[in-house]
Amino acid sequence: MKPFPHIPLNSYQGYPPEEMLERAVAFRQELQRRRTIRQFSSQPVPQEVIENCLLAAGTAPNGANLQPWRFVVVRDPQIKAQIREGAEKEEREFYQNRAPQEWLQALEPFGTDENKPYLETAPCLIIIFGMKSSSDSEGNTVKNYYVNESVGIATGFLIAALHHAGLATLTHTPSPMGFLNSILGRPENEKPFLVLVAGYPAEDAVVPIITKKPLEEIAVFL
């Protein structure tokens, strides 16, 4: 494979240390406002907003620039209903038979169960797939590397972008998620990674009182 041509870096924007700190603090404060919600309004979301957030997610670093992700945006009520039915089926099995007691105890303070009405209420579901392989410009199958790492980073970018745009989100991972391939008509080389629910909070939306770990518990400086 021929090496990519290289050009001088002209997109980098540096800042004086004082401005760097101001920007870092402002960004931290904005992300600290982000909360996962479970009560969504049915108010539609402008498609251009979603499109630009997806393009932002697509800038994420990834293995060999193979960009092994696929974002399937679902707004059709019938498809959302099918996804809810499939997800709740797996969730019932999880809560009743598969979940270890320790995990159920960890979830208990949040009051979650197998019922996922937001999968129908929210205006937008973004189903994120990791692609085990892709096709090159000549139609040849190319194996993708570091798929989970790459898709995980892109998902983080997407959540931050949606929050920055003024939307709320919920990450949902029914297990197993193979039913999503069937409902959405996705090929076998695409593996469901996560269901990202996006929209506006309902007027009666509530969130639990929780705290995040302080810096000394999440970071080590050597």
Side-chain angles (χ1 to χ4, degrees), residues 36-38 83-84 86-95 98-99 103 107 112-116 118-119 125-129 148 151-152 155 159 169-180 191-197:
T36 293
I37 67 167
R38 289 179 170 80
I83 291 174
R84 178 184 179 183
E88 289 185 340
K89 177 181 178 181
E90 297 298 346
E91 291 289 271
R92 280 192 296 272
E93 179 65 22
F94 168 80
Y95 277 94
R98 290 202 304 262
W103 182 226
L107 290 173
T112 60
D113 56 27
E114 64 269 25
N115 298 301
K116 312 297 178 185
Y118 45 75
L119 293 174
L125 305 181
I126 304 174
I127 318 303
I128 303 168
F129 290 84
N148 284 341
V151 176
T155 299
I159 292 171
T169 58
L170 168 72
T171 55
H172 180 47
T173 53
S175 179
M177 291 191 281
F179 67 92
L180 291 168
K191 181 180 179 181
F193 180 80
L194 186 142
V195 177
L196 186 61
V197 186

Side-chain angles (χ1 to χ4, degrees), residues 41-78:
S41 165
S42 60
Q43 178 183 350
V45 173
Q47 179 163 321
E48 286 188 344
V49 172
I50 300 298
E51 290 174 350
N52 278 278
C53 290
L54 292 173
L55 287 171
T59 69
N62 60 95
N65 197 41
L66 293 171
Q67 304 167 63
W69 43 65
R70 182 81 71 202
F71 304 100
V72 180
V73 181
V74 178
R75 295 181 297 177
D76 184 284
Q78 293 184 344

Side-chain angles (χ1 to χ4, degrees), residues 13 52 60-61 64 110 126 146 151 160 162 165 181 192 209:
Q13 176 66 62
N52 278 278
F110 297 93
I126 304 174
Y146 297 103
V151 176
L162 291 165
N181 287 75
I209 299 174

